[in-house]
PDB file of all heavy atoms in Angstrom:
ATOM      1  N   GLN A   2      24.848   6.468 -20.462  1.00 38.00           N
ATOM      2  CA  GLN A   2      24.172   5.541 -19.603  1.00 38.00           C
ATOM      3  C   GLN A   2      24.633   4.116 -20.098  1.00 38.00           C
ATOM      4  O   GLN A   2      25.130   3.937 -21.192  1.00 38.00           O
ATOM      5  CB  GLN A   2      22.696   5.752 -19.737  1.00 38.00           C
ATOM      6  CG  GLN A   2      22.258   7.016 -19.116  1.00 38.00           C
ATOM      7  CD  GLN A   2      20.744   7.062 -19.089  1.00 38.00           C
ATOM      8  OE1 GLN A   2      20.045   6.398 -19.926  1.00 38.00           O
ATOM      9  NE2 GLN A   2      20.156   7.809 -18.179  1.00 38.00           N
ATOM     10  N   SER A   3      24.303   3.190 -19.214  1.00 38.00           N
ATOM     11  CA  SER A   3      24.591   1.810 -19.664  1.00 38.00           C
ATOM     12  C   SER A   3      23.549   0.864 -19.107  1.00 38.00           C
ATOM     13  O   SER A   3      22.850   1.157 -18.057  1.00 38.00           O
ATOM     14  CB  SER A   3      26.085   1.443 -19.081  1.00 38.00           C
ATOM     15  OG  SER A   3      26.033   1.366 -17.605  1.00 38.00           O
ATOM     16  N   ASN A   4      23.580  -0.308 -19.540  1.00 41.00           N
ATOM     17  CA  ASN A   4      22.851  -1.362 -18.921  1.00 41.00           C
ATOM     18  C   ASN A   4      23.774  -1.832 -17.751  1.00 41.00           C
ATOM     19  O   ASN A   4      25.056  -1.596 -17.740  1.00 41.00           O
ATOM     20  CB  ASN A   4      22.592  -2.567 -19.783  1.00 41.00           C
ATOM     21  CG  ASN A   4      21.557  -2.196 -20.838  1.00 41.00           C
ATOM     22  OD1 ASN A   4      20.720  -1.491 -20.632  1.00 41.00           O
ATOM     23  ND2 ASN A   4      21.797  -2.582 -22.037  1.00 41.00           N
ATOM     24  N   SER A   5      23.302  -2.363 -16.672  1.00 41.00           N
ATOM     25  CA  SER A   5      24.032  -2.680 -15.501  1.00 41.00           C
ATOM     26  C   SER A   5      25.338  -3.594 -16.016  1.00 41.00           C
ATOM     27  O   SER A   5      25.133  -4.683 -16.470  1.00 41.00           O
ATOM     28  CB  SER A   5      23.265  -3.607 -14.583  1.00 41.00           C
ATOM     29  OG  SER A   5      22.100  -2.837 -14.131  1.00 41.00           O
ATOM     30  N   VAL A  16      25.784  10.290  -8.587  1.00 98.00           N
ATOM     31  CA  VAL A  16      24.391  10.226  -9.060  1.00 98.00           C
ATOM     32  C   VAL A  16      23.579  10.951  -7.994  1.00 98.00           C
ATOM     33  O   VAL A  16      23.682  10.622  -6.830  1.00 98.00           O
ATOM     34  CB  VAL A  16      23.864   8.834  -9.270  1.00 98.00           C
ATOM     35  CG1 VAL A  16      22.313   8.886  -9.454  1.00 98.00           C
ATOM     36  CG2 VAL A  16      24.522   8.208 -10.505  1.00 98.00           C
ATOM     37  N   ILE A  17      22.880  12.028  -8.370  1.00 98.00           N
ATOM     38  CA  ILE A  17      21.936  12.791  -7.440  1.00 98.00           C
ATOM     39  C   ILE A  17      20.630  12.294  -7.793  1.00 98.00           C
ATOM     40  O   ILE A  17      20.157  12.243  -8.932  1.00 98.00           O
ATOM     41  CB  ILE A  17      21.938  14.308  -7.667  1.00 98.00           C
ATOM     42  CG1 ILE A  17      23.421  14.810  -7.602  1.00 98.00           C
ATOM     43  CG2 ILE A  17      21.035  15.018  -6.813  1.00 98.00           C
ATOM     44  CD1 ILE A  17      23.637  16.260  -7.972  1.00 98.00           C
ATOM     45  N   VAL A  18      19.840  11.776  -6.787  1.00 98.00           N
ATOM     46  CA  VAL A  18      18.494  11.382  -6.898  1.00 98.00           C
ATOM     47  C   VAL A  18      17.587  12.419  -6.428  1.00 98.00           C
ATOM     48  O   VAL A  18      17.561  12.667  -5.214  1.00 98.00           O
ATOM     49  CB  VAL A  18      18.185  10.079  -6.287  1.00 98.00           C
ATOM     50  CG1 VAL A  18      16.936   9.548  -6.436  1.00 98.00           C
ATOM     51  CG2 VAL A  18      19.313   9.074  -6.726  1.00 98.00           C
ATOM     52  N   GLN A  39      25.454  12.771 -12.715  1.00 98.00           N
ATOM     53  CA  GLN A  39      24.127  12.647 -13.312  1.00 98.00           C
ATOM     54  C   GLN A  39      23.151  12.931 -12.264  1.00 98.00           C
ATOM     55  O   GLN A  39      23.166  12.562 -11.051  1.00 98.00           O
ATOM     56  CB  GLN A  39      23.828  11.280 -13.993  1.00 98.00           C
ATOM     57  CG  GLN A  39      24.772  11.070 -15.206  1.00 98.00           C
ATOM     58  CD  GLN A  39      24.363   9.819 -15.948  1.00 98.00           C
ATOM     59  OE1 GLN A  39      23.307   9.494 -16.014  1.00 98.00           O
ATOM     60  NE2 GLN A  39      25.470   9.032 -16.483  1.00 98.00           N
ATOM     61  N   ILE A  40      22.081  13.702 -12.642  1.00 98.00           N
ATOM     62  CA  ILE A  40      20.988  14.011 -11.738  1.00 98.00           C
ATOM     63  C   ILE A  40      19.607  13.471 -12.335  1.00 98.00           C
ATOM     64  O   ILE A  40      19.364  13.683 -13.531  1.00 98.00           O
ATOM     65  CB  ILE A  40      20.952  15.433 -11.572  1.00 98.00           C
ATOM     66  CG1 ILE A  40      19.721  15.823 -10.611  1.00 98.00           C
ATOM     67  CG2 ILE A  40      20.830  16.345 -12.729  1.00 98.00           C
ATOM     68  CD1 ILE A  40      19.715  17.293 -10.014  1.00 98.00           C
ATOM     69  N   LEU A  41      18.840  12.753 -11.535  1.00 97.00           N
ATOM     70  CA  LEU A  41      17.626  12.064 -11.892  1.00 97.00           C
ATOM     71  C   LEU A  41      16.509  12.585 -11.109  1.00 97.00           C
ATOM     72  O   LEU A  41      16.553  12.916  -9.982  1.00 97.00           O
ATOM     73  CB  LEU A  41      17.755  10.563 -11.804  1.00 97.00           C
ATOM     74  CG  LEU A  41      19.193   9.866 -12.239  1.00 97.00           C
ATOM     75  CD1 LEU A  41      19.204   8.466 -11.695  1.00 97.00           C
ATOM     76  CD2 LEU A  41      19.297   9.963 -13.674  1.00 97.00           C
ATOM     77  N   ASP A  42      15.198  12.443 -11.695  1.00 97.00           N
ATOM     78  CA  ASP A  42      14.062  12.672 -10.962  1.00 97.00           C
ATOM     79  C   ASP A  42      13.022  11.781 -11.440  1.00 97.00           C
ATOM     80  O   ASP A  42      12.869  11.648 -12.675  1.00 97.00           O
ATOM     81  CB  ASP A  42      13.650  14.156 -11.060  1.00 97.00           C
ATOM     82  CG  ASP A  42      12.688  14.522  -9.831  1.00 97.00           C
ATOM     83  OD1 ASP A  42      11.521  14.130  -9.872  1.00 97.00           O
ATOM     84  OD2 ASP A  42      13.217  15.185  -8.875  1.00 97.00           O
ATOM     85  N   ALA A  43      12.074  11.353 -10.563  1.00 96.00           N
ATOM     86  CA  ALA A  43      11.004  10.513 -11.001  1.00 96.00           C
ATOM     87  C   ALA A  43       9.943  11.308 -11.710  1.00 96.00           C
ATOM     88  O   ALA A  43       9.001  10.789 -12.432  1.00 96.00           O
ATOM     89  CB  ALA A  43      10.422   9.852  -9.716  1.00 96.00           C
ATOM     90  N   GLN A 102      17.776  14.271 -15.906  1.00 97.00           N
ATOM     91  CA  GLN A 102      16.978  13.196 -16.568  1.00 97.00           C
ATOM     92  C   GLN A 102      15.724  13.035 -15.860  1.00 97.00           C
ATOM     93  O   GLN A 102      15.642  12.345 -14.766  1.00 97.00           O
ATOM     94  CB  GLN A 102      17.809  11.913 -16.421  1.00 97.00           C
ATOM     95  CG  GLN A 102      19.211  12.072 -17.219  1.00 97.00           C
ATOM     96  CD  GLN A 102      20.110  10.873 -17.078  1.00 97.00           C
ATOM     97  OE1 GLN A 102      19.575   9.775 -17.247  1.00 97.00           O
ATOM     98  NE2 GLN A 102      21.268  11.092 -16.604  1.00 97.00           N
ATOM     99  N   CYS A 103      14.727  13.653 -16.374  1.00 97.00           N
ATOM    100  CA  CYS A 103      13.344  13.739 -15.775  1.00 97.00           C
ATOM    101  C   CYS A 103      12.604  12.436 -16.086  1.00 97.00           C
ATOM    102  O   CYS A 103      12.803  11.737 -17.074  1.00 97.00           O
ATOM    103  CB  CYS A 103      12.545  15.001 -16.322  1.00 97.00           C
ATOM    104  SG  CYS A 103      13.203  16.600 -15.799  1.00 97.00           S
ATOM    105  N   TYR A 104      11.525  12.175 -15.193  1.00 97.00           N
ATOM    106  CA  TYR A 104      10.836  10.988 -15.384  1.00 97.00           C
ATOM    107  C   TYR A 104      11.578   9.795 -15.404  1.00 97.00           C
ATOM    108  O   TYR A 104      11.216   8.679 -16.141  1.00 97.00           O
ATOM    109  CB  TYR A 104       9.787  11.010 -16.580  1.00 97.00           C
ATOM    110  CG  TYR A 104       8.928  12.336 -16.358  1.00 97.00           C
ATOM    111  CD1 TYR A 104       9.299  13.525 -17.013  1.00 97.00           C
ATOM    112  CD2 TYR A 104       7.799  12.304 -15.568  1.00 97.00           C
ATOM    113  CE1 TYR A 104       8.516  14.669 -16.898  1.00 97.00           C
ATOM    114  CE2 TYR A 104       7.132  13.419 -15.411  1.00 97.00           C
ATOM    115  CZ  TYR A 104       7.382  14.585 -15.990  1.00 97.00           C
ATOM    116  OH  TYR A 104       6.787  15.758 -15.799  1.00 97.00           O
ATOM    117  N   GLN A 105      12.690   9.715 -14.638  1.00 96.00           N
ATOM    118  CA  GLN A 105      13.502   8.515 -14.547  1.00 96.00           C
ATOM    119  C   GLN A 105      13.423   7.982 -12.968  1.00 96.00           C
ATOM    120  O   GLN A 105      14.038   8.820 -12.157  1.00 96.00           O
ATOM    121  CB  GLN A 105      15.020   8.782 -14.840  1.00 96.00           C
ATOM    122  CG  GLN A 105      15.253   9.040 -16.223  1.00 96.00           C
ATOM    123  CD  GLN A 105      15.241   7.628 -17.107  1.00 96.00           C
ATOM    124  OE1 GLN A 105      15.467   6.540 -16.526  1.00 96.00           O
ATOM    125  NE2 GLN A 105      15.173   7.681 -18.335  1.00 96.00           N
ATOM    126  N   CYS A 106      12.638   7.109 -12.700  1.00 96.00           N
ATOM    127  CA  CYS A 106      12.343   6.677 -11.340  1.00 96.00           C
ATOM    128  C   CYS A 106      13.481   5.816 -10.876  1.00 96.00           C
ATOM    129  O   CYS A 106      13.672   4.718 -11.463  1.00 96.00           O
ATOM    130  CB  CYS A 106      10.939   6.000 -11.149  1.00 96.00           C
ATOM    131  SG  CYS A 106      10.659   5.543  -9.532  1.00 96.00           S
ATOM    132  N   VAL A 107      14.064   6.068  -9.840  1.00 97.00           N
ATOM    133  CA  VAL A 107      15.180   5.201  -9.249  1.00 97.00           C
ATOM    134  C   VAL A 107      14.382   4.130  -8.397  1.00 97.00           C
ATOM    135  O   VAL A 107      13.715   4.415  -7.379  1.00 97.00           O
ATOM    136  CB  VAL A 107      16.187   5.981  -8.477  1.00 97.00           C
ATOM    137  CG1 VAL A 107      17.120   5.043  -7.705  1.00 97.00           C
ATOM    138  CG2 VAL A 107      16.880   6.945  -9.221  1.00 97.00           C
ATOM    139  N   VAL A 108      14.555   2.890  -8.863  1.00 97.00           N
ATOM    140  CA  VAL A 108      13.921   1.834  -8.153  1.00 97.00           C
ATOM    141  C   VAL A 108      14.820   0.872  -7.261  1.00 97.00           C
ATOM    142  O   VAL A 108      14.342   0.182  -6.534  1.00 97.00           O
ATOM    143  CB  VAL A 108      13.194   0.935  -9.192  1.00 97.00           C
ATOM    144  CG1 VAL A 108      12.112   1.663  -9.885  1.00 97.00           C
ATOM    145  CG2 VAL A 108      14.116   0.289 -10.259  1.00 97.00           C
ATOM    146  N   ASP A 109      16.084   1.107  -7.506  1.00 97.00           N
ATOM    147  CA  ASP A 109      17.034   0.346  -6.674  1.00 97.00           C
ATOM    148  C   ASP A 109      18.419   0.846  -6.633  1.00 97.00           C
ATOM    149  O   ASP A 109      18.874   1.631  -7.727  1.00 97.00           O
ATOM    150  CB  ASP A 109      17.139  -1.173  -7.189  1.00 97.00           C
ATOM    151  CG  ASP A 109      17.620  -2.054  -6.035  1.00 97.00           C
ATOM    152  OD1 ASP A 109      17.868  -1.731  -4.931  1.00 97.00           O
ATOM    153  OD2 ASP A 109      17.756  -3.397  -6.460  1.00 97.00           O
ATOM    154  N   ILE A 110      19.262   0.584  -5.726  1.00 97.00           N
ATOM    155  CA  ILE A 110      20.592   1.078  -5.572  1.00 97.00           C
ATOM    156  C   ILE A 110      21.428  -0.178  -5.195  1.00 97.00           C
ATOM    157  O   ILE A 110      21.235  -0.685  -3.971  1.00 97.00           O
ATOM    158  CB  ILE A 110      20.889   2.128  -4.579  1.00 97.00           C
ATOM    159  CG1 ILE A 110      20.058   3.427  -5.028  1.00 97.00           C
ATOM    160  CG2 ILE A 110      22.417   2.464  -4.388  1.00 97.00           C
ATOM    161  CD1 ILE A 110      20.078   4.510  -3.970  1.00 97.00           C
ATOM    162  N   GLN A 111      22.132  -0.709  -6.013  1.00 96.00           N
ATOM    163  CA  GLN A 111      22.772  -2.007  -5.795  1.00 96.00           C
ATOM    164  C   GLN A 111      24.304  -1.745  -5.538  1.00 96.00           C
ATOM    165  O   GLN A 111      24.989  -1.032  -6.350  1.00 96.00           O
ATOM    166  CB  GLN A 111      22.698  -2.906  -6.911  1.00 96.00           C
ATOM    167  CG  GLN A 111      21.297  -3.246  -7.320  1.00 96.00           C
ATOM    168  CD  GLN A 111      21.171  -4.090  -8.677  1.00 96.00           C
ATOM    169  OE1 GLN A 111      22.117  -4.288  -9.277  1.00 96.00           O
ATOM    170  NE2 GLN A 111      19.843  -4.423  -8.934  1.00 96.00           N
ATOM    171  N   THR A 118      25.459   0.569  -8.479  1.00 97.00           N
ATOM    172  CA  THR A 118      24.604   0.597  -9.650  1.00 97.00           C
ATOM    173  C   THR A 118      23.366   1.116  -9.379  1.00 97.00           C
ATOM    174  O   THR A 118      22.565   0.478  -8.587  1.00 97.00           O
ATOM    175  CB  THR A 118      24.696  -0.649 -10.366  1.00 97.00           C
ATOM    176  OG1 THR A 118      25.928  -1.121 -10.838  1.00 97.00           O
ATOM    177  CG2 THR A 118      23.651  -0.547 -11.672  1.00 97.00           C
ATOM    178  N   VAL A 119      23.014   2.276  -9.987  1.00 97.00           N
ATOM    179  CA  VAL A 119      21.658   2.898  -9.733  1.00 97.00           C
ATOM    180  C   VAL A 119      20.712   2.394 -10.737  1.00 97.00           C
ATOM    181  O   VAL A 119      20.949   2.690 -11.939  1.00 97.00           O
ATOM    182  CB  VAL A 119      21.737   4.442  -9.646  1.00 97.00           C
ATOM    183  CG1 VAL A 119      20.402   4.985  -9.431  1.00 97.00           C
ATOM    184  CG2 VAL A 119      22.706   4.882  -8.540  1.00 97.00           C
ATOM    185  N   ILE A 120      19.606   1.796 -10.402  1.00 97.00           N
ATOM    186  CA  ILE A 120      18.719   1.279 -11.422  1.00 97.00           C
ATOM    187  C   ILE A 120      17.534   2.160 -11.557  1.00 97.00           C
ATOM    188  O   ILE A 120      16.851   2.474 -10.626  1.00 97.00           O
ATOM    189  CB  ILE A 120      18.136  -0.123 -10.961  1.00 97.00           C
ATOM    190  CG1 ILE A 120      19.272  -1.148 -10.656  1.00 97.00           C
ATOM    191  CG2 ILE A 120      17.236  -0.756 -12.077  1.00 97.00           C
ATOM    192  CD1 ILE A 120      20.248  -1.384 -11.875  1.00 97.00           C
ATOM    193  N   THR A 121      17.366   2.626 -12.783  1.00 96.00           N
ATOM    194  CA  THR A 121      16.164   3.542 -12.998  1.00 96.00           C
ATOM    195  C   THR A 121      15.169   2.921 -13.925  1.00 96.00           C
ATOM    196  O   THR A 121      15.522   1.969 -14.645  1.00 96.00           O
ATOM    197  CB  THR A 121      16.721   4.901 -13.681  1.00 96.00           C
ATOM    198  OG1 THR A 121      17.025   4.567 -15.121  1.00 96.00           O
ATOM    199  CG2 THR A 121      17.867   5.459 -12.945  1.00 96.00           C
ATOM    200  N   GLU A 122      13.929   3.466 -13.840  1.00 96.00           N
ATOM    201  CA  GLU A 122      12.818   2.916 -14.668  1.00 96.00           C
ATOM    202  C   GLU A 122      12.162   3.958 -15.371  1.00 96.00           C
ATOM    203  O   GLU A 122      11.815   4.973 -14.598  1.00 96.00           O
ATOM    204  CB  GLU A 122      11.867   1.980 -13.772  1.00 96.00           C
ATOM    205  CG  GLU A 122      10.917   1.210 -14.556  1.00 96.00           C
ATOM    206  CD  GLU A 122      10.187   0.279 -13.631  1.00 96.00           C
ATOM    207  OE1 GLU A 122       9.513   0.730 -12.840  1.00 96.00           O
ATOM    208  OE2 GLU A 122      10.525  -0.978 -13.707  1.00 96.00           O
ATOM    209  N   SER A 123      11.878   3.896 -16.625  1.00 95.00           N
ATOM    210  CA  SER A 123      11.030   4.900 -17.334  1.00 95.00           C
ATOM    211  C   SER A 123      10.121   4.264 -18.309  1.00 95.00           C
ATOM    212  O   SER A 123      10.053   2.930 -18.306  1.00 95.00           O
ATOM    213  CB  SER A 123      11.937   5.949 -18.026  1.00 95.00           C
ATOM    214  OG  SER A 123      12.620   5.253 -19.067  1.00 95.00           O
ATOM    215  N   THR A 124       9.537   5.031 -19.189  1.00 94.00           N
ATOM    216  CA  THR A 124       8.623   4.355 -20.141  1.00 94.00           C
ATOM    217  C   THR A 124       9.483   3.581 -21.153  1.00 94.00           C
ATOM    218  O   THR A 124       8.933   2.728 -21.896  1.00 94.00           O
ATOM    219  CB  THR A 124       7.841   5.371 -20.920  1.00 94.00           C
ATOM    220  OG1 THR A 124       8.802   6.448 -21.448  1.00 94.00           O
ATOM    221  CG2 THR A 124       6.951   6.197 -20.003  1.00 94.00           C
ATOM    222  N   GLN A 125      10.885   3.719 -21.148  1.00 92.00           N
ATOM    223  CA  GLN A 125      11.747   3.047 -22.060  1.00 92.00           C
ATOM    224  C   GLN A 125      12.242   1.702 -21.472  1.00 92.00           C
ATOM    225  O   GLN A 125      13.236   1.123 -22.119  1.00 92.00           O
ATOM    226  CB  GLN A 125      12.727   3.928 -22.656  1.00 92.00           C
ATOM    227  CG  GLN A 125      12.225   5.192 -23.389  1.00 92.00           C
ATOM    228  CD  GLN A 125      13.280   5.972 -23.932  1.00 92.00           C
ATOM    229  OE1 GLN A 125      14.519   5.863 -23.553  1.00 92.00           O
ATOM    230  NE2 GLN A 125      12.995   7.113 -24.576  1.00 92.00           N
ATOM    231  N   GLY A 126      11.884   1.455 -20.213  1.00 94.00           N
ATOM    232  CA  GLY A 126      12.329   0.210 -19.567  1.00 94.00           C
ATOM    233  C   GLY A 126      13.433   0.657 -18.410  1.00 94.00           C
ATOM    234  O   GLY A 126      13.490   1.817 -18.037  1.00 94.00           O
ATOM    235  N   GLN A 127      14.160  -0.355 -18.085  1.00 94.00           N
ATOM    236  CA  GLN A 127      15.156  -0.108 -17.030  1.00 94.00           C
ATOM    237  C   GLN A 127      16.696   0.213 -17.475  1.00 94.00           C
ATOM    238  O   GLN A 127      16.936  -0.365 -18.512  1.00 94.00           O
ATOM    239  CB  GLN A 127      15.233  -1.342 -15.976  1.00 94.00           C
ATOM    240  CG  GLN A 127      13.954  -1.426 -15.098  1.00 94.00           C
ATOM    241  CD  GLN A 127      14.161  -2.384 -13.979  1.00 94.00           C
ATOM    242  OE1 GLN A 127      15.251  -3.193 -13.945  1.00 94.00           O
ATOM    243  NE2 GLN A 127      13.302  -2.386 -12.969  1.00 94.00           N
ATOM    244  N   THR A 128      17.297   1.048 -16.731  1.00 94.00           N
ATOM    245  CA  THR A 128      18.629   1.351 -17.082  1.00 94.00           C
ATOM    246  C   THR A 128      19.567   1.312 -15.769  1.00 94.00           C
ATOM    247  O   THR A 128      19.058   1.615 -14.788  1.00 94.00           O
ATOM    248  CB  THR A 128      18.783   2.687 -17.684  1.00 94.00           C
ATOM    249  OG1 THR A 128      17.920   2.805 -18.954  1.00 94.00           O
ATOM    250  CG2 THR A 128      20.235   3.136 -17.983  1.00 94.00           C
ATOM    251  N   GLY A 129      20.829   0.968 -15.982  1.00 96.00           N
ATOM    252  CA  GLY A 129      21.672   0.976 -14.884  1.00 96.00           C
ATOM    253  C   GLY A 129      22.778   2.012 -15.025  1.00 96.00           C
ATOM    254  O   GLY A 129      23.361   2.118 -16.124  1.00 96.00           O
ATOM    255  N   ILE A 130      23.010   2.836 -13.926  1.00 96.00           N
ATOM    256  CA  ILE A 130      24.082   3.769 -14.025  1.00 96.00           C
ATOM    257  C   ILE A 130      25.103   3.382 -13.024  1.00 96.00           C
ATOM    258  O   ILE A 130      24.796   3.408 -11.782  1.00 96.00           O
ATOM    259  CB  ILE A 130      23.498   5.178 -13.733  1.00 96.00           C
ATOM    260  CG1 ILE A 130      22.363   5.509 -14.749  1.00 96.00           C
ATOM    261  CG2 ILE A 130      24.608   6.261 -13.882  1.00 96.00           C
ATOM    262  CD1 ILE A 130      21.652   6.803 -14.404  1.00 96.00           C
ATOM    263  N   ASP A 131      26.431   3.230 -13.356  1.00 97.00           N
ATOM    264  CA  ASP A 131      27.371   2.887 -12.357  1.00 97.00           C
ATOM    265  C   ASP A 131      28.067   4.189 -11.900  1.00 97.00           C
ATOM    266  O   ASP A 131      28.236   5.162 -12.671  1.00 97.00           O
ATOM    267  CB  ASP A 131      28.463   2.005 -13.133  1.00 97.00           C
ATOM    268  CG  ASP A 131      27.987   0.614 -13.300  1.00 97.00           C
ATOM    269  OD1 ASP A 131      26.895   0.265 -12.900  1.00 97.00           O
ATOM    270  OD2 ASP A 131      28.771  -0.079 -14.022  1.00 97.00           O
ATOM    271  N   LEU A 274      13.208   3.036  -1.171  1.00 95.00           N
ATOM    272  CA  LEU A 274      14.580   3.220  -1.672  1.00 95.00           C
ATOM    273  C   LEU A 274      15.605   3.092  -0.598  1.00 95.00           C
ATOM    274  O   LEU A 274      16.552   2.496  -0.771  1.00 95.00           O
ATOM    275  CB  LEU A 274      14.697   4.429  -2.464  1.00 95.00           C
ATOM    276  CG  LEU A 274      15.996   4.600  -3.309  1.00 95.00           C
ATOM    277  CD1 LEU A 274      16.097   3.422  -4.250  1.00 95.00           C
ATOM    278  CD2 LEU A 274      16.026   5.979  -4.027  1.00 95.00           C
TER     279      LEU A 274
END
Side-chain angles (χ1 to χ4, degrees):
Q2 290 186 337
S3 70
N4 294 323
S5 298
V16 168
I17 304 170
V18 183
Q39 294 189 33
I40 179 169
L41 318 168
D42 200 287
Q102 299 177 51
C103 297
Y104 302 98
Q105 290 280 347
C106 181
V107 175
V108 296
D109 201 4
I110 300 173
Q111 300 174 356
T118 297
V119 177
I120 307 298
T121 73
E122 189 171 73
S123 69
T124 55
Q125 298 177 357
Q127 287 195 348
T128 300
I130 306 172
D131 290 350
L274 192 59

